[in-house]
Amino acid sequence: MPSVRLGIRRFGAINGLGLATLMKREASRGLKDYNYQLLGPAVTALLYLAVFRLALHNDATGQVLINFIAPGVIIFSACEKAYESAAGSFIFDKHEKIIADMLMAPLTPFERMVAYVGADCLGGLAVGVAVAAVSLVFAELGAAHPWAILVFGLLGMMFHSLVGLLVGIWAEKWDQFSAIHTFLLVPLSFLSGVFYPIEALPAAFQHAMQWNPLYHAIAGFRYGMSGTEAGEPMIHVLVLVGVNLVLAGWAYRWFRSGYKLKP
Amino acid sequence: MLPLSSRRYGAINWIGLGTLYGKEVRRFWSVATQTVLAPLVTGLLFLAVFVLALGHRVDQIGGQPYVDFLVPGLIMMTIAQNAFANTSSSLMIAKVQGNIVDLLMPPLNALELTIGVAGGGVTRGVVVGLTTGIAMMVFVPIDIAHPGFVIFHAVAASLLMALLGILTGIWAEKFDHLAAITNFIVTPLSFLSGTFYSTTRLPELWQTVAHLNPFFYMIDGFRYGFIGHADAPVWTGVIVMCGVDAVLLVIAHRWFQRGYRLKA
């Protein structure tokens, strides 16, 4: 007779093992095919910088603009990755009907959400580091306020990952996935200062930008790298934390109710 | 009563060709949000970004304000990427889903296949270019100096990219291969061939390299049609486009004929 009795596996308030397993699965599927999952964003970022480098004069003013753009491109690429892995894995799993594997596991809605967001942020981080490395070809990068790089990088990726979770749960087709990306997320980041200071915008738009969470993420992240201040960093943090909490609450509700996930 | 027999047609199977072309056009038109509206929005975004970031910093190019220079480049970039995407994804999806036989079984010869599929890509390129151009016109004034060059280069470039898409779609075995060609070849070439800056800004050596790149001629010639200024001799551009189109057409035709990576 085996000395161990079969029974339900027991764990404390949080199923740490389950959470780590789901996170590991999600993070590794996001980076499995590094060929285009890391190299792709890196090449695209390099292209953006190259285009600006070539369009600008090769002098000090040109370099200033490149140094301004690079942090924007880094956080933009990292955030895009977080959105893609979150939404992508849900839509894929729903189509392949393997979403049940995740729903059957003894994980609470909260644990599921944390595991997905954590894994998406890790994927985003990998892309961010890769893009930062290739950016060095054209730009001079700094770390004026390391805490801000970390905090804003994380908050920006969390925002994208949570939007990705919501889209992934809601969407039934890949069209919806790309529609949110093309018509919502990319315009929000492109128009909120990835490539230019918002002072370049007409006054009315500058004001509207304050309502765009991505403006706060990009401005804060750039403050972390180059020390250029655009607005009050603490305001940026508060806005992002607030938005992320709302989205997390929303995602939690959907995970709990099984909206579009359970029959 | 007529005896049943195989349908007869002349040298060209017009019904078959028309059906294939119609299918290729409906394929993208039924998801026009993704295939026409999305590139249009992306094009407008690029316009906004580059004008806002560079408008004041970049001098006039060839006596033209930067915006006038930029607009044709962006339209051409959109045309190129979409013509390529249409044919490459059509063949790729058909191969992955296994319904490529529906393309190979009907009584269409290799030339009809090439023209039918490429025609869909050309149509998408031209439609997307036209709508993007009209949308941009809302924000910036666009003049057309030589309409003939605009039309020629829009069609010739769409054909070039559509044929390149056919070759990629036939060659690729997985979506990864297609993504790799798009990310590492098509996008870089469409970005770096003078879309956003004049190639006269490049160092001597790179100028020579740029002038060996067919993407450069399609952008340069198309831009000449709008602003009447080109970096390279315009007729060289026309000859290069015709030449490259002809070579790609021959290769695509051969691949369809041999069934390279299509037939068992």
Side-chain angles (χ1 to χ4, degrees):
Chain A
M1 281 291 285
S3 56
V4 184
R5 283 178 52 197
L6 286 175
I8 305 168
R9 190 197 288 270
R10 297 189 184 280
F11 38 82
I14 285 185
N15 179 356
L17 180 63
L19 198 153
T21 310
L22 180 55
M23 193 150 141
K24 195 175 148 206
R25 163 185 180 256
E26 284 304 309
S28 60
R29 83 195 271 189
L31 295 168
K32 198 171 39 186
D33 212 334
Y34 61 89
N35 212 348
Y36 76 109
Q37 290 179 335
L38 276 185
L39 216 54
V43 168
T44 310
L46 200 59
L47 274 179
Y48 283 135
L49 292 174
V51 161
F52 276 95
R53 175 73 280 176
L54 288 165
L56 287 162
H57 282 291
N58 198 3
D59 59 11
T61 6
Q63 192 59 46
V64 168
L65 189 67
I66 296 291
N67 293 346
F68 177 88
I69 293 168
V73 172
I74 293 170
I75 188 171
F76 171 72
S77 316
C79 287
E80 247 194 341
K81 173 70 183 172
Y83 169 78
E84 275 164 20
S85 20
S89 70
F90 268 89
I91 301 178
F92 184 85
D93 287 358
K94 273 160 53 175
H95 279 193
E96 299 291 318
K97 307 225 189 307
I98 52 173
I99 192 85
D101 297 352
M102 186 271 291
L103 297 171
M104 295 275 283
L107 290 164
T108 61
F110 181 72
E111 287 160 355
R112 286 191 189 119
M113 190 176 76
V114 171
Y116 273 100
V117 172
D120 300 333
C121 288
L122 281 178
L125 182 69
V127 167
V129 170
V131 170
V134 299
S135 302
L136 289 170
V137 175
F138 293 105
E140 295 148 4
L141 298 176
H145 307 280
W147 71 267
I149 300 185
L150 213 65
V151 167
F152 288 106
L154 204 60
L155 287 171
M157 290 190 291
M158 275 173 73
F159 173 83
H160 277 79
S161 159
L162 288 166
V163 172
L165 286 186
L166 294 173
V167 170
I169 294 175
W170 160 78
E172 269 141 30
K173 293 192 292 184
W174 287 104
D175 295 10
Q176 294 162 318
F177 164 87
S178 8
I180 298 280
H181 181 248
T182 322
F183 299 123
L184 183 73
L185 293 175
V186 175
L188 279 185
S189 7
F190 269 30
L191 295 178
S192 65
V194 171
F195 296 104
Y196 52 84
I198 61 158
E199 286 79 47
L201 288 170
F205 281 96
Q206 283 189 38
H207 200 70
M209 274 310 146
Q210 305 293 328
W211 295 93
N212 175 354
L214 296 184
Y215 156 72
H216 296 281
I218 294 166
F221 189 77
R222 180 171 288 133
Y223 165 76
M225 289 201 104
S226 58
T228 329
E229 249 183 277
E232 188 58 46
M234 274 307 134
I235 304 267
H236 298 325
V237 173
L238 285 177
V239 171
L240 286 166
V241 168
V243 173
N244 275 326
L245 278 178
V246 171
L247 290 175
W250 191 354
Y252 175 77
R253 274 181 68 91
W254 277 7
F255 268 118
R256 204 181 50 180
S257 69
Y259 172 70
K260 289 217 177 181
L261 291 175
K262 298 180 189 166
Chain B
M1 229 175 100
L2 284 169
L4 285 173
S5 69
S6 56
R7 190 198 286 271
R8 299 190 182 280
Y9 40 81
I12 291 177
N13 176 358
W14 287 109
I15 297 183
L17 179 58
T19 310
L20 175 58
Y21 171 76
K23 172 221 161 218
E24 286 298 310
V25 171
R26 277 194 305 277
R27 205 183 74 84
F28 80 82
W29 192 248
S30 64
V31 283
T33 324
Q34 288 307 309
T35 51
V36 180
L37 194 62
L40 185 157
V41 168
T42 309
L44 284 180
L45 270 182
F46 271 93
L47 180 66
V49 162
F50 277 87
V51 168
L52 287 167
L54 296 178
H56 307 293
R57 295 174 199 252
V58 175
D59 305 333
Q60 298 196 330
I61 298 173
Q64 303 283 341
Y66 183 62
V67 186
D68 293 7
F69 179 88
L70 181 64
V71 165
L74 282 175
I75 298 177
M76 182 45 91
M77 185 184 90
T78 315
I79 291 178
Q81 291 178 348
N82 283 281
F84 179 82
N86 206 60
T87 50
S88 59
S89 66
S90 177
L91 291 173
M92 187 78 244
I93 293 173
K95 273 166 66 173
V96 170
Q97 295 184 340
N99 57 346
I100 188 82
V101 286
D102 297 346
L103 194 68
L104 301 172
M105 296 276 287
L108 288 164
N109 65 31
L111 186 65
E112 288 156 357
L113 282 176
T114 316
I115 292 174
V117 177
V122 172
T123 308
R124 167 136 162 224
V126 172
V127 167
V128 170
L130 198 64
T131 47
T132 307
I134 292 171
M136 286 182 175
M137 232 179 253
V138 174
F139 299 97
V140 290
I142 299 177
D143 292 325
I144 296 177
H146 307 285
F149 274 89
V150 172
I151 296 167
F152 170 80
H153 278 281
V155 174
S158 295
L159 182 61
L160 191 152
M161 296 309 294
L163 290 167
L164 213 55
I166 291 181
L167 297 184
T168 308
I170 293 179
W171 167 80
E173 278 160 349
K174 295 191 290 183
F175 277 106
D176 297 5
H177 295 159
L178 184 54
I181 299 280
T182 308
N183 279 340
F184 303 135
I185 295 179
V186 173
T187 314
L189 282 179
S190 62
F191 267 48
L192 296 177
S193 310
T195 310
F196 303 101
Y197 50 83
S198 166
T199 50
T200 52
R201 297 189 56 97
L202 294 172
E204 196 85 354
L205 172 69
W206 287 106
Q207 274 192 44
T208 321
V209 174
H211 288 203
L212 295 172
N213 167 7
F215 280 59
F216 160 74
Y217 290 98
M218 66 198 204
I219 295 171
D220 197 47
F222 189 65
R223 179 175 287 133
Y224 173 78
F226 283 90
I227 64 177
H229 166 85
D231 287 356
V234 285
W235 290 105
T236 312
V238 172
I239 294 167
V240 168
M241 292 307 292
C242 291
V244 175
D245 277 348
V247 170
L248 290 176
L249 195 63
V250 170
I251 300 176
H253 177 253
R254 273 186 65 91
W255 282 12
F256 270 122
Q257 204 168 32
R258 282 171 42 206
Y260 171 68
R261 293 208 171 175
L262 291 173
K263 297 180 193 169

